[in-house]
Amino acid sequence: MRNLPVNNLPVSGARLWESLMEMARIGATAKGGCNRQTLTDLDGEGRALLQRWAEELGCTVRVDRVGNMVIRREGRDPSRPAVAMGSHLDTQPTGGKYDGVLGVLAGLEVLRALHEAGIETEAPIVLVNWTNEEGARFAPPMMGSGVAMGLFEEVEVLAKTDPAGAVFGEELRRIGWQGEADPAELQKLGAYFEVHIEQGPLLEADGIPVGVVDRALGQLWYDVTVTGEDAHAGSAMGPRRDAMVAAAILVQAVEEIAREAGGDGRGTVGRLTVVPDSRNVVPSRVWFSVDFRHGDPKALARMGEALEARAEALAAARGVEVEVAPFWEFPLTPFDPTLVAALRRPPRAATCPTA
């Protein structure tokens, strides 16, 4: 037995960077980002690369029924709840090189450093690649983690379809990444940490190298459908019931509602479809998505109420019908205060017994 100072753990920034760049080649886009959407062939290719890297360290790789990858490095006491790290490899259609994947590959670098130093931890260390965290292809997001934590029904998630009609479960099997393990086994984890790229430039602008996040904002998602009447582009303006113009007003209202909410208020319209989608026809129907977020549950609820009120007033003023349908809700989620406090403490020298 020997003692190795923990602060000498040989974590390699250069090796992490090389891994990020190698993963980024899978689904690389012209602008320098990645399009590696969940359960595509590219997602399968990224998963295979992660599996190869993990097995090179002697780790086991287990896949559950919704495709979550669970990489495990045993500890001295396998009965102890594992300490976990992770995030996701799937991206948005115009995703970056680091969103999600940084959390996975930073965890992999920790495993590599432990392996290189010959350190045996007391508890097992687990790295998780969650399936469909982004929700870009299959909505809502966080399906793999949601099933694992009992928030979503497994059978419902496997039956979800993307806009082209592809079925989640069938795509999972097609790319060869549906396992047999029970997702609920992940509820036994003792702790979970995730490194994530910041969603905006605020830390960089303020010269802050790293932030410790203490909560996940509450979210409300809506499907909004505006129905008017189609007409020829040459028709008179007066009697028109233009669904596109009405939808545009309501899209602007989403931004206004978020700004008026203040604090952590966020409002986004990310998808929009138009019927009949012809250059010289007044649209009869427009559908769009709304994503509201806030750190105050009451403020978030008021944002949803404001959208419904604006929609009702708009329908009366412009002679259209507006349906605001709740699609998904994610509650404000405070993170474990003990783990948050541990991350905020400065590093200190310690020793770890190794074999």
Side-chain angles (χ1 to χ4, degrees):
M1 300 290 289
R2 62 189 177 89
N3 287 333
L4 181 74
V6 171
N7 58 339
N8 286 346
L9 190 67
V11 172
S12 170
R15 182 167 54 193
L16 172 57
W17 179 260
E18 291 173 2
S19 298
L20 286 165
M21 294 306 101
E22 186 170 350
M23 185 65 73
R25 286 195 285 269
I26 302 174
T29 62
K31 290 185 177 181
C34 290
N35 182 2
R36 194 173 51 245
Q37 295 182 59
T38 195
L39 307 189
T40 59
D41 291 342
L42 292 171
D43 183 23
E45 187 177 344
R47 287 165 172 264
L49 178 59
L50 176 63
Q51 180 178 23
R52 176 168 65 80
W53 282 336
E55 290 177 343
E56 287 173 353
L57 303 176
C59 296
T60 60
V61 180
R62 180 172 58 91
V63 182
D64 65 30
R65 293 190 298 266
V66 293
N68 294 319
M69 294 178 65
V70 183
I71 296 165
R72 183 179 176 99
R73 184 180 190 269
E74 287 298 345
R76 190 187 313 277
D77 183 357
S79 68
R80 286 196 178 196
V83 175
M85 305 166 287
S87 195
H88 56 95
L89 295 180
D90 67 306
T91 74
Q92 293 287 341
T94 55
K97 288 186 176 76
Y98 316 109
D99 184 6
V101 65
L102 175 62
V104 176
L105 297 188
L108 178 68
E109 177 56 33
V110 171
L111 296 179
R112 284 171 164 168
L114 290 169
H115 178 74
E116 187 174 285
I119 293 175
E120 183 180 29
T121 58
E122 287 295 328
I125 306 295
V126 162
L127 174 62
V128 185
N129 170 35
W130 302 104
T131 300
N132 192 45
E133 281 290 286
E134 287 291 354
R137 183 183 178 197
F138 296 94
M142 296 181 279
M143 285 186 181
S145 55
V147 171
M149 298 302 129
L151 302 177
F152 296 148
E153 293 293 334
E154 181 179 326
V155 64
E156 293 180 4
V157 163
L158 293 175
K160 291 287 186 181
T161 58
D162 71 2
V167 180
F168 185 102
E170 293 176 3
E171 288 294 274
L172 186 60
R173 289 187 289 274
R174 183 187 66 80
I175 67 170
W177 283 95
Q178 183 174 44
E180 298 180 353
D182 183 359
E185 287 293 311
L186 287 164
Q187 294 181 24
K188 299 176 182 178
L189 295 174
Y192 177 80
F193 297 93
E194 180 168 327
V195 176
H196 207 283
I197 189 73
E198 190 194 7
Q199 302 294 349
L202 297 182
L203 291 182
E204 186 176 12
D206 291 341
I208 300 173
V210 64
V212 178
V213 180
D214 62 3
R215 59 185 169 164
L217 299 180
Q219 300 180 41
L220 286 177
W221 285 17
Y222 294 93
D223 285 342
V224 179
T225 305
V226 180
T227 304
E229 184 176 22
D230 53 6
H232 194 279
S235 64
M237 297 296 291
R240 289 188 181 185
R241 299 173 57 230
D242 190 329
M244 175 64 87
V245 175
I249 294 171
L250 202 53
V251 167
Q252 183 174 350
V254 169
E255 181 184 72
E256 293 170 355
I257 290 168
R259 292 187 182 278
E260 291 167 1
D264 298 317
R266 310 283 190 266
T268 303
V269 173
R271 295 187 61 207
L272 184 147
T273 58
V274 181
V275 175
D277 194 22
S278 175
R279 184 180 290 267
N280 62 340
V281 174
V282 175
S284 59
R285 182 167 59 86
V286 175
W287 170 91
F288 61 92
S289 64
V290 174
D291 177 330
F292 279 144
R293 306 185 185 206
H294 206 289
D296 180 346
K298 293 182 179 178
L300 182 62
R302 288 195 295 269
M303 292 169 72
E305 293 166 0
L307 178 65
E308 294 174 352
R310 297 282 283 268
E312 184 178 355
L314 179 71
R318 301 197 65 90
V320 296
E321 298 174 3
V322 183
E323 179 187 11
V324 179
F327 177 76
W328 181 65
E329 180 176 0
F330 180 83
L332 175 72
T333 305
F335 296 154
D336 184 271
T338 302
L339 299 185
V340 170
L343 291 175
R344 285 178 170 159
R345 287 196 296 269
R348 59 187 175 86
T351 58
C352 178
T354 61

